[in-house]
Amino acid sequence: KQWYQRRVAITAGGQTGAAVLGGSLLATAVSKEMIVLDADVLAGAILFTCTYGLGKKIGPMVIDGLDKYTASIETTMSEGKQVQIAAYEEAIAEEKAAIESLQLAGDIFHIKRELVQIEIEAEYRRRIKTVHTEVKKRLDYQVELENTKKAFIRNHIVAWLEKEVIASISAEQEEANINQCIASLSLLAPSQ
């Protein structure tokens, strides 16, 4: 607007002076065949004018529609991206858990090894106890056998000694013993 007002002040041609100047220059260019007006130029001018008019009238509606379509695609892609990010984060968490479980697997292996050692020790002690019990039974049997043998020998010796002592006592010795026993009893008995 400032440019137009400056031109008006310089040319003093009024408000339509610039339009008349432009139209006269265009007419001169067409008449001198600087601009050739054939069917292609007219078709191009009509195509340009229609395209420009449609762009001005329908352009905002198309732009709004394309913006909405782009926003929906962007939202869909963003949702897909968020789903992928969540899936990747979950996979990372699972991998970290797997790493921790692998680290714990070494501890579990050592624990299982210790449990096996404890089971082996328990079985060893059970077997030692079984052997101890069996050896004790056999030793007790041997002691009982020895005691039985000694008792048998002692009883046999006592019976043999009694038999020999009785056989060695003569009838006079027996009567002397009986008289001595009666005398001892009479001494012990109270006097009447």
Side-chain angles (χ1 to χ4, degrees):
K1 208 169 183 181
Q2 289 177 347
W3 178 81
Y4 183 73
Q5 288 174 353
R6 233 185 271 148
R7 279 284 182 211
V8 170
I10 294 172
T11 58
Q15 290 188 4
T16 58
V20 171
L21 178 64
S24 62
L25 286 175
L26 183 62
T28 303
V30 170
S31 69
K32 297 291 181 179
E33 292 187 3
M34 293 175 158
I35 299 175
V36 179
L37 294 178
D38 60 351
D40 292 335
V41 173
L42 289 177
I46 292 171
L47 182 64
F48 176 74
T49 306
C50 289
T51 304
Y52 181 75
L54 283 174
K56 284 292 187 183
K57 293 287 183 185
I58 300 174
M61 291 187 292
V62 171
I63 288 172
D64 288 342
L66 289 175
D67 284 344
K68 288 179 184 176
Y69 179 69
T70 305
S72 69
I73 289 175
E74 191 175 300
T75 304
T76 305
M77 290 178 74
S78 175
E79 289 173 358
K81 181 180 174 184
Q82 294 301 325
V83 168
Q84 286 293 328
I85 288 172
Y88 289 142
E89 287 176 351
E90 184 178 330
I92 289 170
E94 288 176 3
E95 289 298 322
K96 285 182 180 178
I99 289 171
E100 289 176 6
S101 69
L102 286 176
Q103 290 173 348
L104 294 177
D107 295 339
I108 291 172
F109 178 74
H110 292 300
I111 290 170
K112 284 185 177 182
R113 183 184 300 167
E114 288 177 10
L115 287 175
V116 167
Q117 292 297 328
I118 289 171
E119 288 176 4
I120 290 172
E121 179 71 20
E123 181 65 20
Y124 172 75
R125 289 179 184 218
R126 186 190 62 78
R127 288 182 179 182
I128 291 292
K129 184 177 179 184
T130 304
V131 167
H132 176 266
T133 304
E134 291 299 319
V135 168
K136 187 173 184 314
K137 283 181 186 177
R138 289 184 184 184
L139 289 175
D140 289 344
Y141 172 76
Q142 290 296 325
V143 167
E144 187 67 29
L145 183 65
E146 284 296 317
N147 288 339
T148 304
K149 282 182 180 178
K150 285 179 183 178
F152 178 75
I153 291 172
R154 186 177 56 240
N155 290 340
H156 180 69
I157 290 174
V158 167
W160 179 76
L161 282 175
E162 280 181 12
K163 183 176 140 188
E164 288 298 319
V165 167
I166 291 173
S168 69
I169 296 176
S170 61
E172 296 96 25
Q173 286 177 343
E174 188 174 343
E175 194 168 318
N177 275 341
I178 290 176
N179 288 336
Q180 185 182 1
C181 285
I182 292 174
S184 297
L185 284 175
S186 63
L187 285 174
L188 290 173
S191 328
Q192 297 189 347

